[in-house]
Amino acid sequence: MNLEIISSNKSFGGWHKRYRHRASVLSCEMNFAIYLPPQALSGQKVPVLYWLSGLTCTDENFMQKAGAQCIAAELGIALVVPDTSPRGEGVADDPSYDLGMGAGFYINASQSPWREHYQMYHYVTRELPEIIETYFPVSTRRAISGHSMGGHGALIAALREPGRYRSVSAFSPISNPSRCSWGQKAFSAYLGSHPLQWQEWDACQLLRRYESKPEIKPLPMLVEVGLDDPFLSEQLQIDALIDAAASSGWPLTLNCHEGYDHSYYFVASFIETHLRFHARYL
């Protein structure tokens, strides 16, 4: 593995670093960021919280805006943030902000021209963790979280493979992408026009499957929503997530906040709550 370091900054006694590497499942160069807390610098293998960002973001948005490093340093948790899509020359794209580069939706595309590069689910759940656990002082204890499109990504990763993670959380997640315009546009392009093909990538559909699987132990799940979020009713569809969790018996902790919107001001306001939530299980 040829990891090329892009930048390195000391932060709260640990190090925030950005790397570039060749991603085999995406067939392109990818960037990711990692924050290693002070505990990792003394030889201790620390657990990892994987953060998935939203539409138009890169690995930099969360690391620069969320203010998570201070609490991660206290708790001894590494933070790993991938980019939100494949990028580069030859990678399929679209002029709109909600499809193509910056809008990978953390799924594995099956349709041309997207399938050659847009295998983001395999990247964030397999290839990137393998790199992190091989080359950095971390353990195999993992949690996953994200915002908006990244909240959708975190939920589907945890629900598809609950054994890979200790806990899952999300800020303003796109909860029912099969039923909202953002999700329908992306799924039609990446997966094809038949809605049955979308169910594997929809958190509400995945939750409902657990009604018939009582042997599966649910992961702790925390969701944060701002009630002044302009996307709340049409795009996020949190009510559908509540109903799906209730019907399957999956324990969901949902916190709703008056006055908060969809921005990183909202994420920064409650990121400490989420880090402490994950620390209980990591």
Side-chain angles (χ1 to χ4, degrees):
M1 171 60 62
N2 184 18
L3 287 177
E4 175 191 350
I5 190 162
I6 301 171
S7 63
S8 180
N9 303 92
K10 194 160 189 180
S11 179
F12 296 99
W15 286 94
H16 166 262
K17 299 187 178 187
R18 297 185 71 223
Y19 289 89
R20 181 179 295 115
H21 73 107
R22 180 76 181 177
S24 61
V25 296
L26 306 179
S27 300
C28 67
E29 299 287 321
M30 287 292 284
N31 297 340
F32 69 85
I34 183 169
Y35 175 71
L36 292 169
Q39 296 86 339
L41 308 183
S42 60
Q44 178 180 337
K45 286 197 170 186
V46 298
V48 181
L49 174 66
Y50 289 87
W51 174 271
L52 307 182
S53 296
L55 289 166
T56 76
C57 290
T58 69
D59 62 285
E60 296 186 277
N61 295 73
F62 175 79
M63 288 300 208
Q64 293 180 0
K65 296 179 179 181
Q69 291 90 338
C70 178
I71 304 303
E74 174 194 330
L75 298 173
I77 297 173
L79 307 173
V80 173
V81 185
D83 202 346
T84 53
S85 76
R87 297 181 193 266
E89 186 177 350
V91 174
D93 197 15
D94 187 90
S96 58
Y97 75 95
D98 53 357
L99 186 67
M101 293 188 198
F105 269 82
Y106 304 103
I107 65 177
N108 291 333
S110 59
Q111 301 298 301
S112 180
W114 310 100
R115 62 188 173 205
E116 180 182 355
H117 298 286
Y118 285 76
Q119 304 295 314
M120 285 297 293
Y121 182 80
H122 281 163
Y123 178 70
V124 299
T125 64
R126 291 295 191 278
E127 184 171 356
L128 184 58
E130 183 177 342
I131 292 168
I132 299 301
E133 290 165 14
T134 300
Y135 294 98
F136 296 94
V138 303
S139 71
T140 57
R141 289 171 289 153
R142 312 177 196 99
I144 192 163
S145 185
H147 172 233
S148 192
M149 177 185 74
H152 145 77
L155 292 177
I156 63 170
L159 291 169
R160 284 169 62 96
E161 302 182 82
R164 291 188 63 81
Y165 303 98
R166 302 290 184 92
S167 52
V168 58
S169 73
F171 289 80
S172 312
I174 302 173
S175 302
N176 198 188
S178 298
R179 301 292 180 88
C180 74
S181 60
W182 277 344
Q184 289 170 345
K185 178 179 180 178
F187 285 12
S188 295
Y190 298 148
L191 302 172
S193 59
H194 202 301
L196 286 177
Q197 297 171 317
W198 303 351
Q199 293 183 5
E200 290 289 333
W201 309 103
D202 186 305
C204 289
Q205 296 293 337
L206 292 170
L207 272 170
R208 292 189 180 98
R209 293 184 183 183
Y210 284 100
E211 294 179 53
S212 59
K213 296 180 180 179
E215 72 278 6
I216 302 294
K217 182 180 179 181
L219 285 178
M221 180 185 292
L222 172 63
V223 173
E224 219 78 30
V225 175
L227 294 180
D228 279 19
D229 189 322
F231 307 114
L232 183 59
S233 60
E234 179 184 351
Q235 304 290 6
L236 307 186
Q237 300 196 12
I238 300 299
D239 288 345
L241 184 70
I242 296 170
D243 291 344
S247 68
S248 66
W250 194 286
L252 165 65
T253 300
L254 174 68
N255 297 324
C256 299
H257 302 277
E258 294 281 354
Y260 286 91
D261 57 19
H262 199 73
S263 70
Y264 264 93
Y265 295 107
F266 169 55
V267 173
S269 298
F270 300 102
I271 192 64
E272 179 176 352
T273 300
H274 283 237
L275 286 170
R276 295 193 184 282
F277 163 78
H278 289 296
R280 293 202 297 271
Y281 306 101
L282 288 170

